[in-house]
Amino acid sequence: MSSTAGVPFPFLKGHGTENDFVIIPDPDGELDLPPAVVARLCDRRAGIGADGVLRVVRSAAHPEAKAMAAEAEWFMDYRNSDGSVAEMCGNGARVFARYLERAGLVEPGDLAIATRAGVRRAHIAKNGGPVTIAMGAAELHTSARGADEITVSAAGHTWPVRKVGMGNPHAVAFVTDLADPGPLQEAPVVRPAAAYPEGVNVEFVVSRGPRHVALRVHERGAGETRSCGTGACAVMVAAARRDGHDPRQDGAPVTYTVEVPGGQLEITERTDGEIEMTGPAVIVAEGRIDPGLLV
Ligand SMILES: N[C@@H](CCC[C@H](N)C(=O)O)C(=O)O
């Protein structure tokens, strides 16, 4: 944050199903956010504490988003808590939309958000109600137990994985009990590592009833979190295919309830393959960052 050295800088804190974010308004793209500064902001003891950072920049002011500026005024510059950059964050997109509404930069209703995974459409309900994000279509790779099988191991167990792309990479494993993967203090081991050259978010899933699942997630760049929106969408699609639903073939949409440790998301796969995720988005605080944290 070189251009603001010495000046306390405004921030907000928000969460979506307890996936929490430091929000940094930077409309004109003036800030430099090196990974070490992001990691300090996200530090839960020595910083503000969060799973990631949402920098709010006008698309026209950001080199990665300029091409999307005609379609989406605002770019979500998302960073994981370790400082790494990710293509997309589903819970973050809901919180980003809520921030724009609260700041008076957009009205409740429809808006477009530029992300590294492309433009995503959002709908903000009035009076602090839920936010829906059209997350794009899932990219489904070889099925679990397919020929080029991928596995994930944790706490002495190994499971086959369904590889799903939601703009970012996911490995979905159906387990018997959500306690089976253990404490997830370390990243679960995915094999072959070459299946995910950019790293991976891993979801462990159990069934709770018809079109109702629950998950735990270990996020790339953040560790175990209380929720992951892209992960919940990846899980929804993997569960739908396992259960014999494919809206593009069936000609009917399908909706799943996805429980996460921090709450619940409703996720629909439409007949055109688009996945819509609906859930809460809450701003809990705002303040000023001490310049000492930024150097
Ligand atoms: N929590 C997010 C996903 C954030 C990015 C992820 N850790 C990655 O590196 O791909 C969500 O809600 O989708």
Side-chain angles (χ1 to χ4, degrees):
M1 286 194 168
S2 48
S3 61
T4 59
V7 182
F9 201 83
F11 79 97
L12 297 92
K13 178 80 194 283
H15 76 92
T17 51
E18 298 181 1
N19 195 192
D20 61 343
F21 309 99
V22 173
I23 302 155
I24 311 243
D26 179 23
D28 299 320
E30 292 167 336
L31 304 178
D32 179 23
L33 261 188
V37 167
V38 172
R40 270 202 293 282
L41 290 169
C42 292
D43 189 309
R44 294 197 183 275
R45 297 188 192 282
I48 297 164
D51 296 325
V53 166
L54 304 171
R55 184 163 70 116
V56 184
V57 195
R58 275 207 171 76
S59 301
H62 197 287
E64 288 179 81
K66 263 191 184 130
M68 294 180 271
E71 236 187 309
E73 183 178 2
W74 296 99
F75 173 55
M76 179 177 79
D77 176 11
Y78 175 78
R79 316 293 180 90
N80 286 315
S81 60
D82 69 353
S84 59
V85 169
E87 303 87 339
M88 178 55 188
C89 177
N91 291 323
R94 295 199 317 279
V95 173
F96 188 92
R98 176 69 75 224
Y99 161 75
L100 292 176
E101 179 204 8
R102 176 190 162 113
L105 296 166
V106 301
E107 295 293 321
D110 296 332
L111 83 145
I113 299 170
T115 76
R116 290 191 176 85
V119 174
R120 296 290 182 259
R121 311 267 156 202
H123 181 84
I124 309 170
K126 286 184 184 154
N127 303 320
V131 178
T132 299
I133 307 287
M135 299 282 288
E139 199 186 332
L140 274 156
H141 298 256
T142 312
S143 63
R145 302 183 198 287
D148 51 346
E149 187 166 285
I150 304 168
T151 62
V152 61
S153 302
H157 301 270
T158 296
W159 299 271
V161 148
R162 184 93 204 226
K163 182 177 176 182
V164 185
M166 283 305 310
N168 58 352
H170 293 272
V172 177
F174 292 96
V175 302
T176 307
D177 190 310
L178 285 181
D180 288 347
L184 291 179
Q185 275 150 358
E186 305 289 324
V189 178
V190 175
R191 292 193 183 87
Y196 293 99
E198 311 295 337
V200 63
N201 302 285
V202 181
E203 289 82 26
F204 299 97
V205 193
V206 293
S207 294
R208 290 279 195 241
R211 294 177 301 287
H212 186 168
V213 292
L215 68 80
R216 283 175 70 197
V217 57
H218 187 282
E219 283 194 42
R220 177 179 68 166
E224 183 171 18
T225 61
R226 304 273 300 161
S227 181
C228 176
T230 49
C233 293
V235 162
M236 181 272 161
V237 176
R241 296 300 179 277
R242 176 201 63 176
D243 299 343
H245 303 294
D246 185 344
R248 278 196 259 220
Q249 309 278 324
D250 307 342
V254 64
T255 299
Y256 275 64
T257 298
V258 181
E259 277 177 45
V260 295
Q264 195 165 291
L265 296 163
E266 296 298 320
I267 302 180
T268 297
E269 188 180 13
R270 299 187 329 210
T271 53
D272 61 358
E274 182 76 36
I275 295 174
E276 292 180 335
M277 173 192 59
T278 299
V282 187
I283 304 294
V284 297
E286 55 182 301
R288 294 199 165 259
I289 302 167
D290 189 280
L293 202 61
L294 307 177
V295 288

PDB file of all heavy atoms in Angstrom, residues 87-114:
ATOM      1  N   GLU A  87      -8.953 -16.762  -8.663  1.00  0.00           N
ATOM      2  CA  GLU A  87      -9.773 -16.340  -9.803  1.00  0.00           C
ATOM      3  C   GLU A  87     -11.147 -15.858  -9.362  1.00  0.00           C
ATOM      4  O   GLU A  87     -11.724 -14.937  -9.950  1.00  0.00           O
ATOM      5  CB  GLU A  87      -9.984 -17.517 -10.771  1.00  0.00           C
ATOM      6  CG  GLU A  87      -8.706 -18.168 -11.305  1.00  0.00           C
ATOM      7  CD  GLU A  87      -8.171 -19.268 -10.393  1.00  0.00           C
ATOM      8  OE1 GLU A  87      -8.496 -19.299  -9.184  1.00  0.00           O
ATOM      9  OE2 GLU A  87      -7.400 -20.106 -10.902  1.00  0.00           O
ATOM     10  N   MET A  88     -11.697 -16.519  -8.320  1.00  0.00           N
ATOM     11  CA  MET A  88     -13.102 -16.278  -8.003  1.00  0.00           C
ATOM     12  C   MET A  88     -13.350 -16.614  -6.530  1.00  0.00           C
ATOM     13  O   MET A  88     -12.681 -17.478  -5.956  1.00  0.00           O
ATOM     14  CB  MET A  88     -13.971 -17.172  -8.920  1.00  0.00           C
ATOM     15  CG  MET A  88     -15.463 -17.085  -8.694  1.00  0.00           C
ATOM     16  SD  MET A  88     -16.061 -15.377  -8.796  1.00  0.00           S
ATOM     17  CE  MET A  88     -17.736 -15.586  -8.243  1.00  0.00           C
ATOM     18  N   CYS A  89     -14.307 -15.937  -5.935  1.00  0.00           N
ATOM     19  CA  CYS A  89     -14.734 -16.237  -4.565  1.00  0.00           C
ATOM     20  C   CYS A  89     -16.243 -16.003  -4.507  1.00  0.00           C
ATOM     21  O   CYS A  89     -16.698 -14.865  -4.664  1.00  0.00           O
ATOM     22  CB  CYS A  89     -14.001 -15.337  -3.573  1.00  0.00           C
ATOM     23  SG  CYS A  89     -14.545 -15.601  -1.878  1.00  0.00           S
ATOM     24  N   GLY A  90     -16.993 -17.072  -4.300  1.00  0.00           N
ATOM     25  CA  GLY A  90     -18.460 -16.974  -4.352  1.00  0.00           C
ATOM     26  C   GLY A  90     -19.044 -16.226  -3.169  1.00  0.00           C
ATOM     27  O   GLY A  90     -19.875 -15.313  -3.332  1.00  0.00           O
ATOM     28  N   ASN A  91     -18.612 -16.579  -1.958  1.00  0.00           N
ATOM     29  CA  ASN A  91     -19.100 -15.838  -0.785  1.00  0.00           C
ATOM     30  C   ASN A  91     -18.614 -14.393  -0.854  1.00  0.00           C
ATOM     31  O   ASN A  91     -19.342 -13.457  -0.500  1.00  0.00           O
ATOM     32  CB  ASN A  91     -18.604 -16.491   0.508  1.00  0.00           C
ATOM     33  CG  ASN A  91     -19.252 -17.839   0.770  1.00  0.00           C
ATOM     34  OD1 ASN A  91     -20.446 -18.035   0.490  1.00  0.00           O
ATOM     35  ND2 ASN A  91     -18.488 -18.787   1.300  1.00  0.00           N
ATOM     36  N   GLY A  92     -17.381 -14.230  -1.305  1.00  0.00           N
ATOM     37  CA  GLY A  92     -16.833 -12.885  -1.446  1.00  0.00           C
ATOM     38  C   GLY A  92     -17.665 -12.037  -2.404  1.00  0.00           C
ATOM     39  O   GLY A  92     -17.880 -10.840  -2.166  1.00  0.00           O
ATOM     40  N   ALA A  93     -18.157 -12.634  -3.484  1.00  0.00           N
ATOM     41  CA  ALA A  93     -18.956 -11.877  -4.461  1.00  0.00           C
ATOM     42  C   ALA A  93     -20.248 -11.372  -3.819  1.00  0.00           C
ATOM     43  O   ALA A  93     -20.683 -10.245  -4.096  1.00  0.00           O
ATOM     44  CB  ALA A  93     -19.251 -12.744  -5.679  1.00  0.00           C
ATOM     45  N   ARG A  94     -20.860 -12.177  -2.955  1.00  0.00           N
ATOM     46  CA  ARG A  94     -22.076 -11.698  -2.277  1.00  0.00           C
ATOM     47  C   ARG A  94     -21.754 -10.536  -1.342  1.00  0.00           C
ATOM     48  O   ARG A  94     -22.467  -9.530  -1.285  1.00  0.00           O
ATOM     49  CB  ARG A  94     -22.750 -12.839  -1.483  1.00  0.00           C
ATOM     50  CG  ARG A  94     -23.279 -13.977  -2.341  1.00  0.00           C
ATOM     51  CD  ARG A  94     -24.321 -14.815  -1.595  1.00  0.00           C
ATOM     52  NE  ARG A  94     -23.977 -15.109  -0.214  1.00  0.00           N
ATOM     53  CZ  ARG A  94     -23.153 -16.083   0.155  1.00  0.00           C
ATOM     54  NH1 ARG A  94     -22.607 -16.882  -0.741  1.00  0.00           N
ATOM     55  NH2 ARG A  94     -22.883 -16.281   1.434  1.00  0.00           N
ATOM     56  N   VAL A  95     -20.656 -10.675  -0.596  1.00  0.00           N
ATOM     57  CA  VAL A  95     -20.273  -9.620   0.355  1.00  0.00           C
ATOM     58  C   VAL A  95     -19.854  -8.353  -0.410  1.00  0.00           C
ATOM     59  O   VAL A  95     -20.162  -7.231   0.009  1.00  0.00           O
ATOM     60  CB  VAL A  95     -19.145 -10.134   1.284  1.00  0.00           C
ATOM     61  CG1 VAL A  95     -18.607  -9.015   2.161  1.00  0.00           C
ATOM     62  CG2 VAL A  95     -19.662 -11.290   2.136  1.00  0.00           C
ATOM     63  N   PHE A  96     -19.180  -8.546  -1.527  1.00  0.00           N
ATOM     64  CA  PHE A  96     -18.769  -7.424  -2.397  1.00  0.00           C
ATOM     65  C   PHE A  96     -20.009  -6.650  -2.855  1.00  0.00           C
ATOM     66  O   PHE A  96     -20.061  -5.414  -2.782  1.00  0.00           O
ATOM     67  CB  PHE A  96     -18.025  -8.018  -3.591  1.00  0.00           C
ATOM     68  CG  PHE A  96     -17.365  -7.041  -4.513  1.00  0.00           C
ATOM     69  CD1 PHE A  96     -16.040  -6.669  -4.323  1.00  0.00           C
ATOM     70  CD2 PHE A  96     -18.041  -6.520  -5.597  1.00  0.00           C
ATOM     71  CE1 PHE A  96     -15.411  -5.784  -5.199  1.00  0.00           C
ATOM     72  CE2 PHE A  96     -17.424  -5.638  -6.478  1.00  0.00           C
ATOM     73  CZ  PHE A  96     -16.103  -5.272  -6.273  1.00  0.00           C
ATOM     74  N   ALA A  97     -21.047  -7.378  -3.292  1.00  0.00           N
ATOM     75  CA  ALA A  97     -22.294  -6.740  -3.735  1.00  0.00           C
ATOM     76  C   ALA A  97     -22.950  -5.992  -2.574  1.00  0.00           C
ATOM     77  O   ALA A  97     -23.425  -4.864  -2.730  1.00  0.00           O
ATOM     78  CB  ALA A  97     -23.250  -7.799  -4.295  1.00  0.00           C
ATOM     79  N   ARG A  98     -22.973  -6.612  -1.413  1.00  0.00           N
ATOM     80  CA  ARG A  98     -23.564  -5.961  -0.231  1.00  0.00           C
ATOM     81  C   ARG A  98     -22.818  -4.688   0.109  1.00  0.00           C
ATOM     82  O   ARG A  98     -23.409  -3.659   0.461  1.00  0.00           O
ATOM     83  CB  ARG A  98     -23.541  -6.942   0.952  1.00  0.00           C
ATOM     84  CG  ARG A  98     -24.020  -6.383   2.258  1.00  0.00           C
ATOM     85  CD  ARG A  98     -25.529  -6.080   2.263  1.00  0.00           C
ATOM     86  NE  ARG A  98     -26.313  -7.273   2.367  1.00  0.00           N
ATOM     87  CZ  ARG A  98     -27.424  -7.550   1.638  1.00  0.00           C
ATOM     88  NH1 ARG A  98     -27.873  -6.713   0.758  1.00  0.00           N
ATOM     89  NH2 ARG A  98     -28.075  -8.679   1.789  1.00  0.00           N
ATOM     90  N   TYR A  99     -21.467  -4.733   0.008  1.00  0.00           N
ATOM     91  CA  TYR A  99     -20.686  -3.523   0.279  1.00  0.00           C
ATOM     92  C   TYR A  99     -21.076  -2.405  -0.697  1.00  0.00           C
ATOM     93  O   TYR A  99     -21.313  -1.258  -0.299  1.00  0.00           O
ATOM     94  CB  TYR A  99     -19.170  -3.799   0.185  1.00  0.00           C
ATOM     95  CG  TYR A  99     -18.425  -2.495   0.013  1.00  0.00           C
ATOM     96  CD1 TYR A  99     -18.264  -1.630   1.087  1.00  0.00           C
ATOM     97  CD2 TYR A  99     -17.999  -2.073  -1.243  1.00  0.00           C
ATOM     98  CE1 TYR A  99     -17.677  -0.375   0.918  1.00  0.00           C
ATOM     99  CE2 TYR A  99     -17.414  -0.832  -1.426  1.00  0.00           C
ATOM    100  CZ  TYR A  99     -17.256   0.007  -0.332  1.00  0.00           C
ATOM    101  OH  TYR A  99     -16.701   1.243  -0.511  1.00  0.00           O
ATOM    102  N   LEU A 100     -21.145  -2.728  -1.986  1.00  0.00           N
ATOM    103  CA  LEU A 100     -21.474  -1.699  -2.994  1.00  0.00           C
ATOM    104  C   LEU A 100     -22.826  -1.067  -2.690  1.00  0.00           C
ATOM    105  O   LEU A 100     -23.001   0.153  -2.799  1.00  0.00           O
ATOM    106  CB  LEU A 100     -21.505  -2.304  -4.402  1.00  0.00           C
ATOM    107  CG  LEU A 100     -20.159  -2.771  -4.981  1.00  0.00           C
ATOM    108  CD1 LEU A 100     -20.392  -3.435  -6.337  1.00  0.00           C
ATOM    109  CD2 LEU A 100     -19.169  -1.612  -5.130  1.00  0.00           C
ATOM    110  N   GLU A 101     -23.783  -1.907  -2.261  1.00  0.00           N
ATOM    111  CA  GLU A 101     -25.125  -1.398  -1.943  1.00  0.00           C
ATOM    112  C   GLU A 101     -25.049  -0.485  -0.720  1.00  0.00           C
ATOM    113  O   GLU A 101     -25.556   0.630  -0.721  1.00  0.00           O
ATOM    114  CB  GLU A 101     -26.066  -2.584  -1.671  1.00  0.00           C
ATOM    115  CG  GLU A 101     -27.468  -2.148  -1.299  1.00  0.00           C
ATOM    116  CD  GLU A 101     -28.206  -3.200  -0.485  1.00  0.00           C
ATOM    117  OE1 GLU A 101     -27.599  -4.218  -0.063  1.00  0.00           O
ATOM    118  OE2 GLU A 101     -29.398  -2.991  -0.243  1.00  0.00           O
ATOM    119  N   ARG A 102     -24.372  -0.946   0.317  1.00  0.00           N
ATOM    120  CA  ARG A 102     -24.283  -0.174   1.556  1.00  0.00           C
ATOM    121  C   ARG A 102     -23.572   1.162   1.339  1.00  0.00           C
ATOM    122  O   ARG A 102     -23.929   2.181   1.933  1.00  0.00           O
ATOM    123  CB  ARG A 102     -23.538  -1.022   2.596  1.00  0.00           C
ATOM    124  CG  ARG A 102     -23.283  -0.316   3.908  1.00  0.00           C
ATOM    125  CD  ARG A 102     -22.340  -1.184   4.730  1.00  0.00           C
ATOM    126  NE  ARG A 102     -21.719  -0.444   5.790  1.00  0.00           N
ATOM    127  CZ  ARG A 102     -21.935  -0.653   7.070  1.00  0.00           C
ATOM    128  NH1 ARG A 102     -22.779  -1.567   7.459  1.00  0.00           N
ATOM    129  NH2 ARG A 102     -21.295   0.055   7.981  1.00  0.00           N
ATOM    130  N   ALA A 103     -22.583   1.163   0.454  1.00  0.00           N
ATOM    131  CA  ALA A 103     -21.832   2.389   0.172  1.00  0.00           C
ATOM    132  C   ALA A 103     -22.587   3.322  -0.768  1.00  0.00           C
ATOM    133  O   ALA A 103     -22.103   4.403  -1.098  1.00  0.00           O
ATOM    134  CB  ALA A 103     -20.473   2.026  -0.441  1.00  0.00           C
ATOM    135  N   GLY A 104     -23.754   2.889  -1.233  1.00  0.00           N
ATOM    136  CA  GLY A 104     -24.557   3.727  -2.129  1.00  0.00           C
ATOM    137  C   GLY A 104     -24.016   3.736  -3.555  1.00  0.00           C
ATOM    138  O   GLY A 104     -24.371   4.588  -4.356  1.00  0.00           O
ATOM    139  N   LEU A 105     -23.165   2.780  -3.882  1.00  0.00           N
ATOM    140  CA  LEU A 105     -22.574   2.735  -5.221  1.00  0.00           C
ATOM    141  C   LEU A 105     -23.463   1.982  -6.203  1.00  0.00           C
ATOM    142  O   LEU A 105     -23.317   2.123  -7.417  1.00  0.00           O
ATOM    143  CB  LEU A 105     -21.181   2.089  -5.147  1.00  0.00           C
ATOM    144  CG  LEU A 105     -20.179   2.903  -4.309  1.00  0.00           C
ATOM    145  CD1 LEU A 105     -18.941   2.083  -3.984  1.00  0.00           C
ATOM    146  CD2 LEU A 105     -19.791   4.184  -5.040  1.00  0.00           C
ATOM    147  N   VAL A 106     -24.356   1.137  -5.674  1.00  0.00           N
ATOM    148  CA  VAL A 106     -25.374   0.470  -6.503  1.00  0.00           C
ATOM    149  C   VAL A 106     -26.673   0.425  -5.699  1.00  0.00           C
ATOM    150  O   VAL A 106     -26.660   0.561  -4.467  1.00  0.00           O
ATOM    151  CB  VAL A 106     -24.970  -0.979  -6.917  1.00  0.00           C
ATOM    152  CG1 VAL A 106     -23.670  -0.987  -7.699  1.00  0.00           C
ATOM    153  CG2 VAL A 106     -24.892  -1.911  -5.710  1.00  0.00           C
ATOM    154  N   GLU A 107     -27.783   0.218  -6.407  1.00  0.00           N
ATOM    155  CA  GLU A 107     -29.085   0.040  -5.761  1.00  0.00           C
ATOM    156  C   GLU A 107     -29.324  -1.453  -5.558  1.00  0.00           C
ATOM    157  O   GLU A 107     -28.751  -2.272  -6.273  1.00  0.00           O
ATOM    158  CB  GLU A 107     -30.194   0.577  -6.687  1.00  0.00           C
ATOM    159  CG  GLU A 107     -30.130   2.069  -6.934  1.00  0.00           C
ATOM    160  CD  GLU A 107     -30.416   2.853  -5.666  1.00  0.00           C
ATOM    161  OE1 GLU A 107     -31.294   2.442  -4.893  1.00  0.00           O
ATOM    162  OE2 GLU A 107     -29.736   3.880  -5.442  1.00  0.00           O
ATOM    163  N   PRO A 108     -30.213  -1.827  -4.618  1.00  0.00           N
ATOM    164  CA  PRO A 108     -30.636  -3.232  -4.576  1.00  0.00           C
ATOM    165  C   PRO A 108     -31.175  -3.630  -5.952  1.00  0.00           C
ATOM    166  O   PRO A 108     -31.661  -2.784  -6.701  1.00  0.00           O
ATOM    167  CB  PRO A 108     -31.756  -3.250  -3.527  1.00  0.00           C
ATOM    168  CG  PRO A 108     -31.554  -2.015  -2.727  1.00  0.00           C
ATOM    169  CD  PRO A 108     -30.893  -1.002  -3.631  1.00  0.00           C
ATOM    170  N   GLY A 109     -31.097  -4.893  -6.271  1.00  0.00           N
ATOM    171  CA  GLY A 109     -31.521  -5.364  -7.599  1.00  0.00           C
ATOM    172  C   GLY A 109     -30.345  -5.997  -8.311  1.00  0.00           C
ATOM    173  O   GLY A 109     -29.484  -6.602  -7.667  1.00  0.00           O
ATOM    174  N   ASP A 110     -30.293  -5.814  -9.627  1.00  0.00           N
ATOM    175  CA  ASP A 110     -29.299  -6.539 -10.429  1.00  0.00           C
ATOM    176  C   ASP A 110     -28.033  -5.715 -10.654  1.00  0.00           C
ATOM    177  O   ASP A 110     -28.109  -4.509 -10.849  1.00  0.00           O
ATOM    178  CB  ASP A 110     -29.902  -6.873 -11.802  1.00  0.00           C
ATOM    179  CG  ASP A 110     -31.093  -7.814 -11.672  1.00  0.00           C
ATOM    180  OD1 ASP A 110     -31.126  -8.599 -10.700  1.00  0.00           O
ATOM    181  OD2 ASP A 110     -31.989  -7.747 -12.535  1.00  0.00           O
ATOM    182  N   LEU A 111     -26.920  -6.379 -10.638  1.00  0.00           N
ATOM    183  CA  LEU A 111     -25.667  -5.732 -11.028  1.00  0.00           C
ATOM    184  C   LEU A 111     -24.710  -6.772 -11.577  1.00  0.00           C
ATOM    185  O   LEU A 111     -24.929  -7.978 -11.399  1.00  0.00           O
ATOM    186  CB  LEU A 111     -25.015  -4.979  -9.863  1.00  0.00           C
ATOM    187  CG  LEU A 111     -24.163  -5.771  -8.894  1.00  0.00           C
ATOM    188  CD1 LEU A 111     -23.006  -4.923  -8.432  1.00  0.00           C
ATOM    189  CD2 LEU A 111     -24.985  -6.202  -7.714  1.00  0.00           C
ATOM    190  N   ALA A 112     -23.664  -6.289 -12.239  1.00  0.00           N
ATOM    191  CA  ALA A 112     -22.626  -7.173 -12.763  1.00  0.00           C
ATOM    192  C   ALA A 112     -21.333  -6.888 -12.009  1.00  0.00           C
ATOM    193  O   ALA A 112     -21.038  -5.735 -11.687  1.00  0.00           O
ATOM    194  CB  ALA A 112     -22.442  -6.920 -14.250  1.00  0.00           C
ATOM    195  N   ILE A 113     -20.584  -7.954 -11.713  1.00  0.00           N
ATOM    196  CA  ILE A 113     -19.307  -7.806 -11.002  1.00  0.00           C
ATOM    197  C   ILE A 113     -18.213  -8.420 -11.871  1.00  0.00           C
ATOM    198  O   ILE A 113     -18.341  -9.576 -12.318  1.00  0.00           O
ATOM    199  CB  ILE A 113     -19.355  -8.545  -9.643  1.00  0.00           C
ATOM    200  CG1 ILE A 113     -20.458  -7.963  -8.751  1.00  0.00           C
ATOM    201  CG2 ILE A 113     -17.999  -8.488  -8.938  1.00  0.00           C
ATOM    202  CD1 ILE A 113     -20.719  -8.782  -7.494  1.00  0.00           C
ATOM    203  N   ALA A 114     -17.141  -7.681 -12.093  1.00  0.00           N
ATOM    204  CA  ALA A 114     -15.995  -8.239 -12.811  1.00  0.00           C
ATOM    205  C   ALA A 114     -15.137  -9.035 -11.828  1.00  0.00           C
ATOM    206  O   ALA A 114     -14.875  -8.578 -10.708  1.00  0.00           O
ATOM    207  CB  ALA A 114     -15.185  -7.110 -13.440  1.00  0.00           C
TER     208      ALA A 114
END
